[in-house]
C-alpha cells in the first residue's frame, strides 16, 4: 500500500488600523512604505495562538518554524489596498484631484478592507465603472 502525504495551508487574517505611510525616498526616487511591526504585533500573536489551537498536538510547535511561518520576520499582506483613496486623493471615479488627465483605477482607490476577501473582483468592478464615467465625460475634453 502506498502512503500518501498531504498538506494544507492555514492563513490567519486580521484587520489592523491603516497606520503605515508612504514617504518619497529621493535617493531611490521611490515611495517607501513606513510600517512598524508594533502596529499589528498583538493581532499577529492572537492569530498565531488560534492557528496553534486549530492544528493542535506536536504540529502546533512547527508553526514557529520560519520555513513554515512567513510572518516571523515580516508582516505579510496578500492584498494591500489604499494609497490614493477616493475622497482623499481621487474623486469618486479615480480622477486625481488637481491633476487633469491623471487617473487611479486599481486597489489604491479602496480606503480599507473589502471584507476579508480577495478584492480583485471589487477592483475590476470599480475600474469598469470608473472607465465608463471617464470615457463619457473626459474623452474629447482631457485627451
Amino acid at each position: 500500500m502506498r502512503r500518501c502525504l498531504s498538506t494544507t495551508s492555514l492563513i490567519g487574517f486580521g484587520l489592523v488600523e491603516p497606520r503605515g505611510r508612504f514617504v518619497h525616498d529621493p535617493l531611490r526616487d521611490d515611495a517607501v512604505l513606513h510600517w512598524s511591526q508594533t502596529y499589528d504585533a498583538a493581532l499577529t500573536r492572537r492569530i498565531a495562538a488560534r492557528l496553534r489551537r486549530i492544528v493542535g498536538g506536536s504540529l502546533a510547535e512547527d508553526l514557529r518554524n520560519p520555513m513554515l511561518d512567513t510572518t516571523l520576520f515580516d508582516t505579510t499582506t496578500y492584498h494591500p489596498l489604499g494609497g490614493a483613496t477616493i475622497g482623499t486623493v481621487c474623486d469618486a471615479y479615480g480622477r486625481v484631484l488637481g491633476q487633469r488627465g491623471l487617473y487611479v483605477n486599481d486597489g489604491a482607490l479602496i480606503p480599507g478592507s473589502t471584507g476579508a476577501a480577495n478584492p480583485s473582483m471589487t477592483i475590476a468592478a470599480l475600474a469598469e465603472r470608473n472607465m465608463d464615467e471617464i470615457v463619457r465625460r473626459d474623452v474629447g475634453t482631457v485627451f
Side-chain angles (χ1 to χ4, degrees), residues 24-30:
H24 181 256
D25 180 343
L27 295 175
R28 292 171 34 188
D29 191 28
D30 197 7

Side-chain angles (χ1 to χ4, degrees), residues 54-117:
I54 291 168
V55 170
S58 63
L59 291 176
E61 287 307 308
D62 288 341
L63 293 178
R64 291 188 172 98
N65 179 334
M67 295 297 287
L68 300 176
D69 184 353
T70 62
T71 64
L72 286 178
F73 301 111
D74 202 2
T75 301
T76 302
T77 300
Y78 292 99
H79 305 290
L81 300 169
T85 57
I86 295 171
T88 304
V89 175
C90 298
D91 73 2
Y93 297 98
R95 295 179 188 98
V96 175
L97 303 174
Q99 300 295 321
R100 184 174 166 86
L102 182 60
Y103 305 89
V104 173
N105 277 298
D106 63 6
L109 284 173
I110 301 171
S113 172
T114 59

